[in-house]
């Protein structure tokens, strides 16, 4: 069987990008069981309530929902178990130091296969206030309106 190439997205956490200001991102491997990998290959997972916790110089992914594999037997996994993240020691130390600061947290942004291996993109993030969220939405809407106006002018020039 040929080895997979490229990146195949399984799940994304769009709410995290809305609720948090992303400071830094990291790519981490996941320690998974066989039925979890098969369930992920079917494209089923949810990162909505997920977070990363650092304990004893190890990174753990909590509350990520990977549903049970439908053809699994008694070896099936529990859907919301904590999963170990594979990161370099320097990355864990850096995350530990930064996450101790007030308002900082570590959230998963995306779950994907990269060259056949399950990876998760995690981010060091700072919670946004309500007015920051409104400001971000306003900027996005303004950018969209200017792009529409520019494309309308270009269409008129071509005609």
């Amino acid at each position: 069987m040929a080895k997979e190439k490229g990146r195949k997205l399984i799940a994304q956490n769009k709410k995290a990008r809305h609720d948090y200001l992303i400071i830094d991102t990291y790519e981490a491997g996941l320690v998974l069981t066989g039925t979890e990998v098969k369930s992920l290959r079917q494209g089923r997972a949810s990162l909505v309530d997920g977070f990363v916790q650092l304990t004893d110089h190890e990174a753990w992914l909590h509350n990520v929902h990977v549903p049970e594999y439908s053809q699994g037997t008694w070896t099936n996994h529990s859907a919301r178990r904590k999963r170990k993240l594979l990161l370099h020691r320097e990355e864990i130390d850096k995350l530990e130091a930064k996450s101790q600061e007030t308002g900082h947290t570590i959230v998963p942004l995306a779950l994907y296969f990269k060259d056949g291996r399950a990876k998760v993109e995690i981010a060091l993030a700072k919670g946004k206030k309500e007015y920051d969220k409104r400001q971000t939405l306003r900027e996005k809407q303004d950018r969209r309106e200017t792009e529409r106006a520019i494309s309308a002018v270009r269409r008129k020039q071509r005609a």
Side-chain angles (χ1 to χ4, degrees):
M1 190 169 135
K3 196 171 185 179
E4 289 183 37
K5 294 286 183 196
R7 180 175 157 154
K8 179 188 171 206
L9 187 66
I10 300 165
Q12 224 177 344
N13 192 355
K14 292 180 182 177
K15 190 176 181 201
R17 293 195 186 272
H18 176 72
D19 291 342
Y20 298 98
L21 175 67
I22 307 300
I23 297 169
D24 202 6
T25 60
Y26 299 89
E27 181 180 70
L30 281 164
V31 176
L32 300 172
T33 63
T35 54
E36 285 176 319
V37 174
K38 289 184 178 196
S39 184
L40 288 176
R41 289 213 185 275
Q42 291 178 340
R44 299 165 51 201
S46 173
L47 298 172
V48 174
D49 296 328
F51 65 95
V52 176
Q53 192 171 36
L54 300 167
T55 52
D56 299 329
H57 301 293
E58 292 181 337
W60 294 89
L61 186 63
H62 292 268
N63 278 357
V64 171
H65 186 263
V66 177
E68 290 187 354
Y69 182 55
S70 56
Q71 281 86 36
T73 58
W74 57 273
T75 59
N76 232 335
H77 63 280
S78 61
R80 287 204 182 266
R81 75 177 189 90
K82 68 179 191 176
R83 295 162 180 90
K84 188 174 181 179
L85 294 178
L86 305 173
L87 289 161
H88 291 283
R89 170 66 51 216
E90 307 88 52
E91 292 175 332
I92 292 174
D93 292 341
K94 198 182 296 183
L95 281 170
E96 238 173 345
K98 291 282 190 176
S99 66
Q100 298 300 322
E101 295 177 21
T102 308
H104 287 79
T105 187
I106 307 167
V107 293
L109 296 178
L111 186 62
Y112 54 91
F113 282 107
K114 182 179 178 184
D115 297 333
R117 299 186 188 273
K119 303 281 184 182
V120 63
E121 183 182 17
I122 60 174
L124 179 67
K126 186 172 176 130
K128 282 185 184 177
K129 304 281 187 231
E130 195 62 38
Y131 57 83
D132 289 334
K133 293 178 192 177
R134 284 194 297 266
Q135 181 66 29
T136 305
L137 287 173
R138 196 172 301 120
E139 289 171 1
K140 188 176 178 181
Q141 188 176 5
D142 290 344
R143 203 174 318 115
R144 203 176 283 149
E145 286 175 5
T146 56
E147 287 173 5
R148 281 187 190 139
I150 291 169
S151 64
V153 168
R154 287 184 180 155
R155 273 196 303 267
K156 285 181 181 178
Q157 288 176 349
R158 278 187 270 163

